[in-house]
């Protein structure tokens, strides 16, 4: 029903906006809750056992994270008499809140729910989960000052490594995208302490690239690597551009995805964290491997017994192709 859909989307927007606008922990928590509750019906709209299972998993992890956040902020108020987000000083609630937010966005080692949940969702809902749902927790992470740098660096490094290793073994595209999301978030968290503006830049470019990738897979109606082999007949022009989109996600120059990684490595080197920068760069190679694998499956393999005559690509809808065209252009040539 369009009215219900509109209400739910409004709820999504409202939740994020409340969290953005709040300086009080209770309001921030409330925004996160509205956000979670608004996306749950969207996730379970296809009454398929997989979707319901994914929704339940998502609900449980988000509820746990929100409870942790509420507990930590209450503890902070108890210890310091402060409800203000900017005024956090006590290390215990700071650590707890960082971990709660890490669980919310799916940073390693609290990442295990993300691939499972994304695999059970429709590609559009999966796109919302990978992009929009990350905004509110990120706004809070950016606002907390004087958190222990070791925690953030550990979370970030673990995420880039897990995102690289985890995706190697997957044949399902949504799981690959989930691990790719974990790896990208790791990069953002890595630089959060030293240069918040770079974190925002990385987040923005990640959004554009992910939008592009999800829409490509949606247009192809493909959810596994095998299904990509026949995408040539479905959308020939798009199939020749998709490897560029994927390599941009992997962070290969001269594509857009290279820019944030380059700047982050440069900033880490400036902060005398050369070993950390080296590890992060090596973990990017892991991710690059599975992006290359998908590109290979799309462009360099021919599916057997494929009827070239059946080409449904002429009839694709403009409301899908227009954002796809914009996102793809941005992903490939914004650098």
């Amino acid at each position: 029903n369009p009215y219900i859909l509109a209400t739910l989307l409004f709820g999504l927007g409202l939740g994020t906006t409340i969290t953005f606008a709040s300086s009080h922990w209770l309001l921030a928590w409330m925004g996160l809750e509205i956000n979670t509750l608004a996306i749950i019906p969207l996730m379970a709209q296809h009454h398929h056992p997989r979707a319901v299972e994914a929704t339940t998993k998502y609900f449980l992890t988000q509820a746990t994270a929100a409870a942790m956040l509420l507990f930590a902020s209450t503890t902070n108020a108890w210890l310091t008499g402060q409800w203000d987000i900017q005024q956090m000083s006590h290390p215990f609630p700071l650590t707890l809140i960082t971990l709660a937010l890490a669980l919310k966005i799916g940073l390693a080692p609290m990442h295990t729910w993300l691939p499972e949940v994304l695999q059970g969702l429709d590609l559009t809902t999966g796109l919302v989960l990978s992009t929009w749902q990350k905004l509110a927790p990120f706004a809070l992470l950016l606002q907390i000052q004087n958190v222990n740098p070791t925690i953030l660096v550990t979370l970030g490094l673990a995420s880039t490594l897990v995102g690289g290793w985890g995706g190697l073994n997957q044949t399902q595209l949504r799981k690959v995208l989930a691990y790719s999301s974990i790896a990208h978030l790791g990069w953002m968290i890595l630089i959060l302490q030293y240069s918040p503006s770079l974190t925002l830049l990385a987040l923005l470019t990640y959004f554009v690239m992910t939008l592009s990738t999800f829409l490509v897979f949606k247009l192809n109606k493909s959810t596994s690597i095998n299904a990509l082999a026949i995408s040539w007949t479905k959308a020939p022009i798009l199939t020749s551009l998709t490897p560029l989109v994927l390599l941009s996600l992997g962070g290969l120059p001269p594509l857009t995805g290279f820019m944030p990684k380059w700047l982050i490595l440069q900033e880490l080197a400036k902060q005398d964290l050369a070993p950390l920068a080296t590890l992060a760069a090596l973990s990017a190679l892991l991710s690059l491997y599975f992006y290359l694998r998908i590109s290979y499956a799309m462009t360099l393999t021919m599916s057997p017994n494929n009827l070239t005559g059946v080409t449904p690509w002429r009839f694709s809808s403009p409301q899908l192709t227009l954002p796809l065209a914009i996102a793809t252009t941005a992903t490939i040539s914004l650098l």
Side-chain angles (χ1 to χ4, degrees):
N1 189 322
Y3 292 119
I4 295 175
L5 184 65
T7 312
L8 292 174
L9 291 177
F10 173 70
L12 268 182
L14 182 72
T16 309
T17 315
I18 287 177
T19 307
F20 272 17
S22 57
S23 58
H24 191 288
W25 273 117
L26 272 181
L27 265 178
W29 169 80
M30 193 174 72
L32 291 171
E33 282 298 284
I34 293 174
N35 224 352
T36 306
L37 291 176
I39 201 174
I40 279 173
L42 290 174
M43 295 167 88
Q45 63 182 334
H46 303 287
H47 288 296
H48 186 269
R50 225 33 210 102
V52 176
E53 182 191 345
T55 312
T56 313
K57 284 177 178 170
Y58 181 75
F59 175 69
L60 290 174
T61 47
Q62 296 297 310
T64 311
M68 258 176 83
L69 189 83
L70 192 58
F71 171 67
S73 49
T74 316
T75 312
N76 180 57
W78 182 259
L79 292 169
T80 61
Q82 277 286 0
W83 278 102
D84 205 294
I85 296 179
Q86 310 271 0
Q87 306 292 329
M88 298 280 287
S89 54
H90 202 282
F92 173 67
L94 265 172
T95 309
L96 211 52
I97 277 175
T98 312
L99 291 176
L101 291 171
L103 177 59
K104 261 212 175 293
I105 52 179
L107 287 170
M110 285 85 78
H111 68 283
T112 37
W113 61 271
L114 187 58
E116 293 295 320
V117 168
L118 208 56
Q119 179 56 32
L121 298 183
D122 175 41
L123 283 169
T124 322
T125 323
L127 173 64
V128 173
L129 182 67
S130 310
T131 53
W132 186 258
Q133 291 299 89
K134 308 267 187 262
L135 281 173
F138 247 100
L140 293 177
L141 274 170
L142 280 165
Q143 281 184 72
I144 319 176
Q145 270 101 27
N146 56 32
V147 65
N148 189 353
T150 322
I151 297 170
L152 286 180
V153 164
T154 313
L155 283 172
L157 198 58
S159 297
T160 54
L161 288 166
V162 163
W165 284 122
L168 295 179
N169 207 15
Q170 302 299 333
T171 55
Q172 294 294 327
L173 291 177
R174 283 168 293 187
K175 281 195 173 175
V176 167
L177 284 169
Y179 281 110
S180 134
S181 168
I182 294 166
H184 279 273
L185 288 170
W187 280 85
M188 293 169 216
I189 293 294
L190 217 48
I191 200 69
L192 191 69
Q193 278 276 288
Y194 309 106
S195 171
S197 50
L198 268 186
T199 298
L200 284 173
L201 177 75
L203 190 66
L204 194 66
T205 47
Y206 163 71
F207 276 13
V208 173
M209 296 185 296
T210 309
L211 175 69
S212 183
T213 318
F214 266 99
L215 289 179
V216 166
F217 294 155
K218 191 172 170 56
L219 192 74
N220 277 334
K221 298 186 177 61
S222 48
T223 53
S224 71
I225 293 184
N226 288 347
L228 284 176
I230 56 166
S231 57
W232 185 252
T233 51
K234 293 181 188 170
I237 304 160
L238 200 63
T239 308
S240 47
L241 281 179
T242 310
L244 289 174
V245 173
L246 289 161
L247 294 180
S248 179
L249 260 176
L252 220 59
L255 305 164
T256 311
F258 174 58
M259 171 177 56
K261 287 189 172 169
W262 183 27
L263 293 171
I264 285 172
L265 290 174
Q266 191 181 356
E267 184 61 37
L268 286 172
K270 270 186 202 162
Q271 300 285 346
D272 286 339
L273 295 167
L276 189 64
T278 312
L279 273 170
L282 288 173
S283 73
L285 291 176
L286 289 167
S287 306
L288 194 59
Y289 177 81
F290 60 76
Y291 294 126
L292 270 170
R293 212 172 113 207
I294 300 176
S295 313
Y296 183 86
M298 266 193 104
T299 49
L300 299 176
T301 50
M302 274 299 282
S303 175
N305 58 40
N306 196 358
L307 295 170
T308 328
V310 194
T311 46
W313 56 272
R314 296 191 201 87
F315 314 114
S316 53
S317 59
Q319 63 263 33
L320 179 62
T321 42
L322 179 68
L324 179 56
I326 297 168
T328 309
T329 315
T331 303
I332 293 172
S333 54
L334 260 185
L335 176 61

